[in-house]
Amino acid sequence: MTFQAPAAVTLTMKKRRGGQVVDDIVASENFKHFRNRLEHLLLGSAAKRYGKRLLMVVVLETSADDRLHYHCIIDRPYHCTLARFEAVLREQWMKTDFGYRQIDIQDQPDEGWTDYLLKRRQKRSLFDSIDWANCHLIAE
């Protein structure tokens, strides 16, 4: 796996929406919705027609105040400027049911971000914190 233009992304979730409280399963479904919207906008019809996907590593954590949030590495497509990428990420996250306004996006993170992503703190277990359903590690 080789990321061409990785971005370090933190996406925070609402604790509840209406009567539904967010848990790991709801969080993963919410992220899948976000990922589908993101890939459709950034990759166009190739996302649906050819199954093209963005490379990403997705890890779910719980903050000290019990708010779920995702730390991710998402590969920005070569044709997409950083400004557009950030705008699309923010817009599409806020369009999900549990997207919360706390969003942080950093371009070209160093290896410290990977260490931070995989830290043990704020996780029940590292293996269980990786959102395997939403990770995509093979370039097409």
Side-chain angles (χ1 to χ4, degrees):
M1 153 184 67
T2 303
F3 286 84
Q4 301 301 314
V9 180
T10 300
L11 302 167
T12 308
M13 303 193 70
K14 295 174 184 171
K15 290 184 176 184
R16 67 188 56 77
R17 180 176 183 265
Q20 186 176 21
V21 176
V22 70
D23 60 18
D24 293 8
I25 294 169
V26 171
S28 185
E29 290 170 355
N30 191 73
F31 194 94
K32 180 182 178 183
H33 178 66
F34 163 73
R35 181 178 47 81
N36 288 337
R37 295 177 65 93
L38 186 67
E39 290 173 340
H40 174 74
L41 282 171
L42 295 178
L43 302 174
S45 61
K48 191 169 192 173
R49 187 175 303 152
Y50 305 112
K52 188 154 176 66
R53 295 188 48 198
L54 296 172
L55 287 177
M56 61 179 70
V57 176
V58 184
V59 178
L60 183 64
E61 290 186 358
T62 305
S63 63
D65 67 346
D66 289 326
R67 187 178 295 278
L68 290 175
H69 59 280
Y70 277 100
H71 290 305
C72 317
I73 299 173
I74 302 176
D75 206 21
R76 178 171 46 93
Y78 71 93
H79 59 80
C80 185
T81 65
L82 179 59
R84 178 165 187 266
F85 185 69
E86 285 186 23
V88 170
L89 279 171
R90 290 177 189 283
E91 177 183 276
Q92 296 311 308
W93 183 247
M94 293 308 297
K95 286 185 176 182
T96 67
D97 289 343
F98 291 93
Y100 190 61
R101 66 182 176 268
Q102 287 180 275
I103 300 168
D104 185 64
I105 303 163
Q106 302 293 321
D107 192 36
Q108 300 291 328
D110 60 21
E111 56 277 349
W113 178 250
T114 305
D115 293 341
Y116 185 75
L117 201 73
L118 300 175
K119 71 185 183 301
R120 289 212 167 268
R121 191 170 35 91
Q122 297 179 318
K123 295 177 178 69
R124 290 182 297 279
S125 84
L126 177 58
F127 186 81
D128 292 337
S129 295
I130 298 172
D131 188 344
W132 295 106
N134 287 303
C135 287
H136 186 72
L137 304 173
I138 301 170
E140 286 120 15

